[in-house]
Amino acid sequence: MDPTIRFAELVEKPEGELPLDEAALLIAAHAQPDLDINDELAALDDLARGIPEPTLDGWRRHLFVDLGFSGNLTRYYDPSNSFLDQVVRRRRGLPITLSVLGMEVGRRVGLRLEGVGLPGHFLLRHGPDSYVDPFDGGRELDRTGCVERFREVNGPRAAFLPSYLDPVGPLSILARMLNNLKSVYAGRGDIAALSWVFDL
């Protein structure tokens, strides 16, 4: 099926039924027309099968210690950092793409992780005061640590609102991924890529 049509079908679903992994891969398919979505979903299955125990610690150790997933500090604005398949292969990406990876691998073993759209930096929440920063090698944070991370990114005087730590759903996550790509492609003057980003 045409990836644009399929993406439109998915985002019209109720959020609780929206497969975030497939939708994120459909974004990548616009930049990589030969991408096989089913193969990429199977790669996520393989990552989940490697988790030794379905706990936060087992998930974190497997992805961020054993496999070394972390943020791409040297080429932050490379559009590949926004493509889930490339993040799986290179084990590097943006905070939000690494978070999508973590959420979807965790979901496969019954681990509930929610996205947190902190301004300037994306995190995962596992419980009321349990957060993970996938960009920083899966570092665990409490609420105070999240505020410190927010100020590292936005400046020491930036005003922090408690609502910044509220979980966000798949539609917000996909919109943020597309906004990231819009900024990257606009900076490069890539009109062809901007066209499909705006379509999505």
Side-chain angles (χ1 to χ4, degrees), residues 39-61:
D39 284 351
E40 302 308 324
L41 292 171
L44 294 172
D45 295 341
D46 289 342
L47 286 175
R49 276 192 285 271
I51 295 176
E53 54 189 25
T55 63
L56 181 66
D57 188 55
W59 165 89
R60 196 187 68 79
R61 280 188 289 109

mmCIF file of all heavy atoms in Angstrom, residues 39-61:
data_model
loop_
_atom_site.group_PDB
_atom_site.id
_atom_site.type_symbol
_atom_site.label_atom_id
_atom_site.label_comp_id
_atom_site.label_asym_id
_atom_site.label_seq_id
_atom_site.Cartn_x
_atom_site.Cartn_y
_atom_site.Cartn_z
ATOM 1 N N ASP A 39 9.647 -6.253 7.597
ATOM 2 C CA ASP A 39 10.994 -6.618 8.040
ATOM 3 C C ASP A 39 11.441 -5.756 9.216
ATOM 4 O O ASP A 39 12.092 -6.251 10.154
ATOM 5 C CB ASP A 39 11.997 -6.460 6.895
ATOM 6 C CG ASP A 39 11.915 -7.587 5.871
ATOM 7 O OD1 ASP A 39 11.204 -8.577 6.126
ATOM 8 O OD2 ASP A 39 12.569 -7.462 4.814
ATOM 9 N N GLU A 40 11.094 -4.486 9.168
ATOM 10 C CA GLU A 40 11.508 -3.573 10.247
ATOM 11 C C GLU A 40 10.743 -3.857 11.536
ATOM 12 O O GLU A 40 11.293 -3.747 12.633
ATOM 13 C CB GLU A 40 11.319 -2.123 9.808
ATOM 14 C CG GLU A 40 12.087 -1.743 8.554
ATOM 15 C CD GLU A 40 13.558 -2.100 8.614
ATOM 16 O OE1 GLU A 40 14.152 -2.000 9.711
ATOM 17 O OE2 GLU A 40 14.121 -2.476 7.568
ATOM 18 N N LEU A 41 9.475 -4.221 11.421
ATOM 19 C CA LEU A 41 8.717 -4.623 12.614
ATOM 20 C C LEU A 41 9.313 -5.891 13.213
ATOM 21 O O LEU A 41 9.392 -6.037 14.440
ATOM 22 C CB LEU A 41 7.243 -4.830 12.258
ATOM 23 C CG LEU A 41 6.466 -3.568 11.878
ATOM 24 C CD1 LEU A 41 5.083 -3.936 11.340
ATOM 25 C CD2 LEU A 41 6.344 -2.604 13.057
ATOM 26 N N ALA A 42 9.768 -6.800 12.347
ATOM 27 C CA ALA A 42 10.412 -8.024 12.834
ATOM 28 C C ALA A 42 11.719 -7.715 13.549
ATOM 29 O O ALA A 42 12.090 -8.403 14.516
ATOM 30 C CB ALA A 42 10.653 -8.981 11.662
ATOM 31 N N ALA A 43 12.432 -6.675 13.108
ATOM 32 C CA ALA A 43 13.674 -6.282 13.787
ATOM 33 C C ALA A 43 13.380 -5.805 15.205
ATOM 34 O O ALA A 43 14.165 -6.068 16.136
ATOM 35 C CB ALA A 43 14.385 -5.192 12.987
ATOM 36 N N LEU A 44 12.257 -5.124 15.391
ATOM 37 C CA LEU A 44 11.856 -4.715 16.740
ATOM 38 C C LEU A 44 11.498 -5.934 17.578
ATOM 39 O O LEU A 44 11.806 -6.001 18.776
ATOM 40 C CB LEU A 44 10.683 -3.746 16.670
ATOM 41 C CG LEU A 44 10.970 -2.382 16.026
ATOM 42 C CD1 LEU A 44 9.674 -1.593 15.848
ATOM 43 C CD2 LEU A 44 11.962 -1.577 16.852
ATOM 44 N N ASP A 45 10.842 -6.916 16.955
ATOM 45 C CA ASP A 45 10.549 -8.171 17.658
ATOM 46 C C ASP A 45 11.844 -8.829 18.135
ATOM 47 O O ASP A 45 11.921 -9.333 19.262
ATOM 48 C CB ASP A 45 9.815 -9.148 16.731
ATOM 49 C CG ASP A 45 8.433 -8.670 16.313
ATOM 50 O OD1 ASP A 45 7.875 -7.781 16.994
ATOM 51 O OD2 ASP A 45 7.923 -9.191 15.306
ATOM 52 N N ASP A 46 12.858 -8.829 17.274
ATOM 53 C CA ASP A 46 14.139 -9.439 17.635
ATOM 54 C C ASP A 46 14.778 -8.740 18.825
ATOM 55 O O ASP A 46 15.345 -9.394 19.717
ATOM 56 C CB ASP A 46 15.102 -9.402 16.441
ATOM 57 C CG ASP A 46 14.703 -10.366 15.333
ATOM 58 O OD1 ASP A 46 13.915 -11.289 15.599
ATOM 59 O OD2 ASP A 46 15.181 -10.171 14.190
ATOM 60 N N LEU A 47 14.696 -7.397 18.836
ATOM 61 C CA LEU A 47 15.244 -6.658 19.975
ATOM 62 C C LEU A 47 14.528 -7.053 21.263
ATOM 63 O O LEU A 47 15.161 -7.229 22.308
ATOM 64 C CB LEU A 47 15.105 -5.155 19.744
ATOM 65 C CG LEU A 47 16.044 -4.515 18.726
ATOM 66 C CD1 LEU A 47 15.692 -3.033 18.538
ATOM 67 C CD2 LEU A 47 17.498 -4.646 19.160
ATOM 68 N N ALA A 48 13.218 -7.185 21.179
ATOM 69 C CA ALA A 48 12.447 -7.545 22.379
ATOM 70 C C ALA A 48 12.802 -8.950 22.862
ATOM 71 O O ALA A 48 12.871 -9.193 24.075
ATOM 72 C CB ALA A 48 10.952 -7.440 22.079
ATOM 73 N N ARG A 49 13.039 -9.859 21.937
ATOM 74 C CA ARG A 49 13.368 -11.232 22.334
ATOM 75 C C ARG A 49 14.692 -11.307 23.095
ATOM 76 O O ARG A 49 14.932 -12.256 23.836
ATOM 77 C CB ARG A 49 13.422 -12.140 21.103
ATOM 78 C CG ARG A 49 12.060 -12.662 20.678
ATOM 79 C CD ARG A 49 12.199 -13.781 19.657
ATOM 80 N NE ARG A 49 12.560 -13.266 18.353
ATOM 81 C CZ ARG A 49 11.682 -12.877 17.433
ATOM 82 N NH1 ARG A 49 10.382 -12.947 17.684
ATOM 83 N NH2 ARG A 49 12.091 -12.433 16.263
ATOM 84 N N GLY A 50 15.553 -10.307 22.911
ATOM 85 C CA GLY A 50 16.834 -10.315 23.606
ATOM 86 C C GLY A 50 16.777 -9.817 25.039
ATOM 87 O O GLY A 50 17.770 -9.900 25.768
ATOM 88 N N ILE A 51 15.632 -9.302 25.472
ATOM 89 C CA ILE A 51 15.517 -8.790 26.840
ATOM 90 C C ILE A 51 15.456 -9.976 27.805
ATOM 91 O O ILE A 51 14.579 -10.839 27.688
ATOM 92 C CB ILE A 51 14.260 -7.906 26.982
ATOM 93 C CG1 ILE A 51 14.412 -6.664 26.096
ATOM 94 C CG2 ILE A 51 14.029 -7.516 28.438
ATOM 95 C CD1 ILE A 51 13.189 -5.759 26.081
ATOM 96 N N PRO A 52 16.370 -10.045 28.765
ATOM 97 C CA PRO A 52 16.449 -11.232 29.624
ATOM 98 C C PRO A 52 15.279 -11.387 30.586
ATOM 99 O O PRO A 52 14.919 -12.503 30.956
ATOM 100 C CB PRO A 52 17.767 -11.025 30.385
ATOM 101 C CG PRO A 52 17.988 -9.541 30.369
ATOM 102 C CD PRO A 52 17.421 -9.057 29.072
ATOM 103 N N GLU A 53 14.697 -10.269 31.003
ATOM 104 C CA GLU A 53 13.543 -10.309 31.913
ATOM 105 C C GLU A 53 12.680 -9.082 31.639
ATOM 106 O O GLU A 53 13.202 -8.005 31.362
ATOM 107 C CB GLU A 53 13.996 -10.330 33.369
ATOM 108 C CG GLU A 53 14.936 -9.188 33.710
ATOM 109 C CD GLU A 53 15.561 -9.329 35.092
ATOM 110 O OE1 GLU A 53 15.655 -10.457 35.584
ATOM 111 O OE2 GLU A 53 15.949 -8.285 35.661
ATOM 112 N N PRO A 54 11.351 -9.232 31.674
ATOM 113 C CA PRO A 54 10.449 -8.136 31.300
ATOM 114 C C PRO A 54 10.279 -7.094 32.408
ATOM 115 O O PRO A 54 9.179 -6.825 32.878
ATOM 116 C CB PRO A 54 9.138 -8.865 31.001
ATOM 117 C CG PRO A 54 9.161 -10.046 31.914
ATOM 118 C CD PRO A 54 10.607 -10.467 32.006
ATOM 119 N N THR A 55 11.391 -6.514 32.810
ATOM 120 C CA THR A 55 11.384 -5.480 33.839
ATOM 121 C C THR A 55 12.058 -4.232 33.278
ATOM 122 O O THR A 55 12.751 -4.300 32.257
ATOM 123 C CB THR A 55 12.158 -5.931 35.086
ATOM 124 O OG1 THR A 55 13.536 -6.143 34.714
ATOM 125 C CG2 THR A 55 11.579 -7.213 35.663
ATOM 126 N N LEU A 56 11.889 -3.106 33.959
ATOM 127 C CA LEU A 56 12.536 -1.883 33.510
ATOM 128 C C LEU A 56 14.055 -2.069 33.466
ATOM 129 O O LEU A 56 14.712 -1.647 32.513
ATOM 130 C CB LEU A 56 12.177 -0.714 34.429
ATOM 131 C CG LEU A 56 12.788 0.642 34.034
ATOM 132 C CD1 LEU A 56 12.213 1.130 32.708
ATOM 133 C CD2 LEU A 56 12.562 1.684 35.134
ATOM 134 N N ASP A 57 14.599 -2.722 34.477
ATOM 135 C CA ASP A 57 16.045 -2.903 34.510
ATOM 136 C C ASP A 57 16.512 -3.830 33.389
ATOM 137 O O ASP A 57 17.529 -3.569 32.734
ATOM 138 C CB ASP A 57 16.486 -3.452 35.868
ATOM 139 C CG ASP A 57 18.000 -3.464 36.010
ATOM 140 O OD1 ASP A 57 18.627 -2.388 35.837
ATOM 141 O OD2 ASP A 57 18.570 -4.544 36.261
ATOM 142 N N GLY A 58 15.774 -4.909 33.129
ATOM 143 C CA GLY A 58 16.141 -5.821 32.058
ATOM 144 C C GLY A 58 16.071 -5.145 30.693
ATOM 145 O O GLY A 58 16.950 -5.332 29.848
ATOM 146 N N TRP A 59 15.019 -4.372 30.485
ATOM 147 C CA TRP A 59 14.852 -3.609 29.242
ATOM 148 C C TRP A 59 15.969 -2.593 29.066
ATOM 149 O O TRP A 59 16.573 -2.490 28.002
ATOM 150 C CB TRP A 59 13.490 -2.922 29.302
ATOM 151 C CG TRP A 59 13.236 -1.819 28.328
ATOM 152 C CD1 TRP A 59 12.720 -1.932 27.075
ATOM 153 C CD2 TRP A 59 13.430 -0.413 28.546
ATOM 154 N NE1 TRP A 59 12.599 -0.700 26.488
ATOM 155 C CE2 TRP A 59 13.029 0.250 27.369
ATOM 156 C CE3 TRP A 59 13.914 0.343 29.616
ATOM 157 C CZ2 TRP A 59 13.096 1.635 27.241
ATOM 158 C CZ3 TRP A 59 13.972 1.717 29.491
ATOM 159 C CH2 TRP A 59 13.572 2.356 28.317
ATOM 160 N N ARG A 60 16.264 -1.853 30.139
ATOM 161 C CA ARG A 60 17.273 -0.796 30.077
ATOM 162 C C ARG A 60 18.662 -1.379 29.833
ATOM 163 O O ARG A 60 19.421 -0.879 29.002
ATOM 164 C CB ARG A 60 17.255 0.013 31.381
ATOM 165 C CG ARG A 60 17.977 1.352 31.300
ATOM 166 C CD ARG A 60 18.061 2.003 32.672
ATOM 167 N NE ARG A 60 18.943 1.259 33.551
ATOM 168 C CZ ARG A 60 20.264 1.328 33.518
ATOM 169 N NH1 ARG A 60 20.876 2.128 32.659
ATOM 170 N NH2 ARG A 60 20.997 0.615 34.341
ATOM 171 N N ARG A 61 18.989 -2.432 30.537
ATOM 172 C CA ARG A 61 20.315 -3.038 30.376
ATOM 173 C C ARG A 61 20.512 -3.582 28.958
ATOM 174 O O ARG A 61 21.569 -3.411 28.362
ATOM 175 C CB ARG A 61 20.529 -4.153 31.407
ATOM 176 C CG ARG A 61 20.929 -3.623 32.792
ATOM 177 C CD ARG A 61 21.319 -4.738 33.735
ATOM 178 N NE ARG A 61 20.168 -5.543 34.150
ATOM 179 C CZ ARG A 61 19.942 -6.781 33.768
ATOM 180 N NH1 ARG A 61 20.772 -7.387 32.940
ATOM 181 N NH2 ARG A 61 18.881 -7.438 34.199
#
